[in-house]
Amino acid sequence: WEEEEERLDLLSIYRESLMSLEEEADSDLAELGRLGPKMKTLTFSLSHFLTMALPVERKHSRGLRDHEFIVTEHDRQGCVAPPTATSAGGAGAASASAIKTEMPLVVICDSLRSAFNVGSIFRTSECVGVREIVLCGYTATPSDAGTAKAAMGMHELVSWRWERSVEDAVATAKSQGLTVVALETVEGCPEAHSYAFPRGGVALVLGNERPRPSPPPL
């Protein structure tokens, strides 16, 4: 912001970009387009600019509505079609009735406290094509009414099973040739968005919402 010449050039581009949206058919874009003519001058303070940019920020960062979030088959290219799922491990295993593609990804939940979080994991897993969810310890299973409600029926479409301990789940994953990766807030570890996940298959360990995963699973 302190470099005046560069600032004015960027603000000019910003104003022109906004004005180009005025004739857009999309109502959100057209609304943002009306902000351009209001920038009659480019010599204003940073606080004034941030105030003017707030509508753009709100439109850009708003959450998607259900009908705007669609996963197409193109998103799952390179995945493999799953075999017919069978009940494994007795109570606590569900078969996937829908024919769809899967990623070589297993999600291991280590004693999650919240049934709502477990349900959310089921919904996300179905969306991206997770192969299997392993619920460990006292993690709520879909037999719990709260979990089933939060999962919104996705526990019927994603294969899952229960293991007594996360150590057993990790041992099984390793025997299947999967690389075990824990998702946690730990200093000195790579950021999730920059980490190069192995293409051959991953078992992703999600720890308890409060304590971190215990050392043995890592």
Side-chain angles (χ1 to χ4, degrees):
W1 188 264
E2 301 302 326
E3 300 294 332
E4 183 177 8
E5 183 176 354
E6 183 177 2
R7 181 182 76 245
L8 293 176
D9 287 342
L10 291 174
L11 287 174
S12 178
I13 295 172
Y14 178 71
R15 178 171 60 184
E16 291 173 6
S17 298
L18 288 175
M19 294 178 69
S20 70
L21 301 176
E22 285 189 277
E23 303 302 323
E24 288 288 338
D26 183 89
S27 59
D28 285 337
L29 294 179
E31 182 180 343
L32 293 179
R34 290 191 287 272
L35 297 175
K38 295 181 180 180
M39 297 176 63
K40 300 183 183 301
T41 177
L42 301 180
T43 55
F44 39 71
S45 66
L46 176 59
S47 60
H48 183 62
F49 168 72
L50 293 177
T51 300
M52 289 196 304
L54 187 58
V56 178
E57 181 182 350
R58 285 176 174 168
K59 292 290 185 183
H60 179 69
S61 62
R62 70 173 177 80
L64 292 174
R65 304 181 182 95
D66 288 345
H67 71 279
E68 296 173 324
F69 187 74
I70 302 175
V71 175
T72 66
E73 289 303 314
H74 177 74
D75 294 313
R76 292 180 178 175
Q77 283 187 352
C79 299
V80 298
T84 302
T86 56
S87 178
S95 62
S97 58
I99 302 301
K100 61 179 182 178
T101 54
E102 290 180 341
M103 293 194 300
L105 174 62
V106 172
V107 176
I108 300 175
C109 300
D110 180 15
S111 296
L112 267 63
R113 300 165 58 92
S114 168
F116 177 82
N117 287 345
V118 177
S120 176
I121 289 170
F122 269 97
R123 299 198 310 272
T124 302
S125 296
E126 194 283 328
C127 181
V128 301
V130 166
R131 178 190 299 171
E132 182 185 40
I133 298 175
V134 184
L135 308 175
C136 304
Y138 57 74
T139 300
T141 71
S143 59
D144 173 79
T147 303
K149 181 178 180 180
M152 299 178 67
M154 295 303 101
H155 59 288
E156 300 289 346
L157 302 178
V158 181
S159 295
W160 65 274
R161 59 188 171 85
W162 179 80
E163 288 274 8
R164 184 174 301 277
S165 70
V166 68
E167 288 84 2
D168 291 341
V170 167
T172 299
K174 289 182 177 179
S175 70
Q176 296 171 345
L178 300 176
T179 300
V180 180
V181 178
L183 187 64
E184 258 299 342
T185 53
V186 181
E187 292 184 4
C189 293
E191 297 288 339
H193 66 272
S194 61
Y195 177 69
F197 285 87
R199 304 286 293 183
V202 171
L204 186 65
V205 180
L206 305 180
N208 183 285
E209 292 91 338
R210 291 177 180 266
R212 296 170 177 170
S214 52
L218 302 180

